[in-house]
């Protein structure tokens, strides 16, 4: 960075750069959309968390089993509020600077249990997905690696204002893709996954540290054109 760059990219004084390990203050929630024993997405999430740690950030690994919640019901919400599992997930998302979701693919789409969690979390205020830097990965025994499910998952997340990273990672033939130690058997795929995570964390760090990148997210039907462009909205 040139000496004058700090004039254009002012660091957030609340998150000072610590020099040698600039990412140690970045907390990344790694959520597995499956909790089934032996799930390839649980294994992928574990590998992703390890790579996040190797890149210098602080991962927290959870599965949907950690956040039990019923099917979304508007009457139940009106009478009882959000279930404790949904509230706990909201708190974890709020506490992290970034979110990585490892999602299975069910019938070429997002699993119902994961969509249900997104629906419950969307009812919380302030809405925790909004402006959250998010990376999507998937694993599947199929030859498309669950990629169609990730495209379906992008829709509600982007609708809620999450900044979903353009690149996604899908692991095909995942039932044969892991070593006993949890690495990928294909070193080229492992290198690609590591590079994707590294680039994603670069963006997360920039978004966390440089105020000029904190832009308001606009959704077409709810566009508020009278608001300052550089002002974040959490409503």
């Amino acid at each position: 960075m040139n000496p004058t760059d700090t004039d254009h990219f002012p660091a957030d004084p609340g998150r000072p750069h610590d020099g040698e390990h600039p990412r140690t203050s970045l907390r990344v929630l790694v959520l597995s959309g499956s909790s089934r024993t032996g799930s390839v997405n649980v294994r992928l999430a574990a590998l992703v968390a390890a790579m996040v740690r190797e890149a210098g950030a602080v991962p927290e690994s959870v599965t949907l089993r950690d956040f039990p919640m019923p099917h979304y019901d508007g009457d139940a919400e009106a009478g009882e509020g959000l279930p404790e599992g949904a509230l706990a997930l909201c708190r974890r998302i709020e506490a992290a600077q970034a979110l990585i979701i490892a999602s299975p693919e069910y019938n070429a789409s997002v699993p119902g249990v994961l969509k249900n969690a997104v629906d419950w979390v969307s009812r919380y205020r302030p809405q925790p997905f909004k402006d959250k830097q998010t990376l999507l990965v998937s694993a599947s025994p199929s030859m498309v690696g669950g990629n169609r499910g990730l495209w379906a998952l992008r829709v509600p997340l982007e609708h809620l204002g999450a900044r979903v990273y353009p690149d996604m990672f899908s692991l095909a033939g995942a039932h044969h893709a892991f070593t006993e130690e949890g690495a990928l058997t294909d070193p080229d795929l492992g290198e690609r996954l590591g590079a994707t995570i590294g680039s994603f964390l670069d963006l997360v760090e920039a978004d966390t540290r440089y105020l000029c990148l904190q832009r308001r997210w606009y959704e077409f039907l709810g566009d508020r054109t009278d608001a300052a462009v550089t002002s974040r909205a959490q409503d």
Side-chain angles (χ1 to χ4, degrees):
M1 180 174 286
N2 296 325
T4 57
D5 283 347
T6 54
D7 296 333
H8 304 287
F9 301 97
D12 185 342
R15 299 183 176 89
H17 197 291
D18 59 8
E20 185 179 357
H21 301 291
R23 290 176 176 165
T24 54
S25 62
L26 296 182
R27 298 181 303 277
V28 182
L29 184 66
V30 182
L31 171 65
S32 171
S34 173
S35 54
R36 180 179 58 83
T37 302
S39 165
V40 290
N41 280 280
V42 170
R43 299 182 72 180
L44 179 60
L47 176 58
V48 166
M51 288 183 167
V52 167
R53 184 175 291 106
E54 289 174 3
V58 181
E60 180 184 11
S61 298
V62 295
T63 74
L64 284 180
R65 183 174 290 178
D66 299 321
F67 309 99
M69 58 191 84
H71 296 302
Y72 178 76
D73 184 324
D75 290 339
E77 180 191 7
E80 305 169 18
L82 271 66
E84 181 52 41
L87 292 172
L89 181 55
C90 289
R91 290 191 289 266
R92 298 291 185 89
I93 295 172
E94 282 185 321
Q97 277 76 52
L99 172 65
I100 301 178
I101 302 177
S103 175
E105 177 184 283
Y106 287 3
N107 298 313
S109 188
V110 58
V113 64
L114 179 54
K115 178 58 165 59
N116 184 62
V118 171
D119 290 342
W120 272 115
V121 170
S122 74
R123 304 299 296 168
Y124 187 77
R125 295 295 182 272
Q127 213 287 95
F129 286 121
K130 191 171 183 63
D131 294 326
K132 190 67 62 177
Q133 296 288 355
T134 304
L135 174 65
L136 303 182
V137 300
S138 63
S140 172
S142 76
M143 295 308 295
V144 295
N147 187 260
R148 296 168 299 187
L150 295 188
W151 282 108
L153 180 57
R154 291 187 74 101
V155 175
L157 292 177
E158 290 182 336
H159 169 78
L160 293 169
R163 298 181 177 184
V164 184
Y165 194 63
D167 197 10
M168 302 185 292
F169 180 86
S170 295
L171 182 63
H175 53 311
H176 298 309
F178 293 94
T179 67
E180 291 184 1
E181 294 75 23
L184 295 183
T185 56
D186 186 331
D188 291 335
L189 281 178
E191 183 176 346
R192 182 193 156 202
L193 177 58
T196 300
I197 292 172
S199 297
F200 173 67
L201 291 177
D202 284 342
L203 178 61
V204 174
E205 184 181 359
D207 182 59
T208 301
R209 298 188 186 283
Y210 300 116
L211 298 178
C212 68
L213 297 180
Q214 298 179 2
R215 305 285 180 153
R216 179 181 294 277
W217 186 278
Y218 285 111
E219 181 187 348
F220 180 75
L221 293 178
D223 194 352
R224 292 177 56 187
T225 55
D226 60 333
V229 173
T230 55
S231 172
R232 280 201 175 189
Q234 299 299 332
D235 53 346

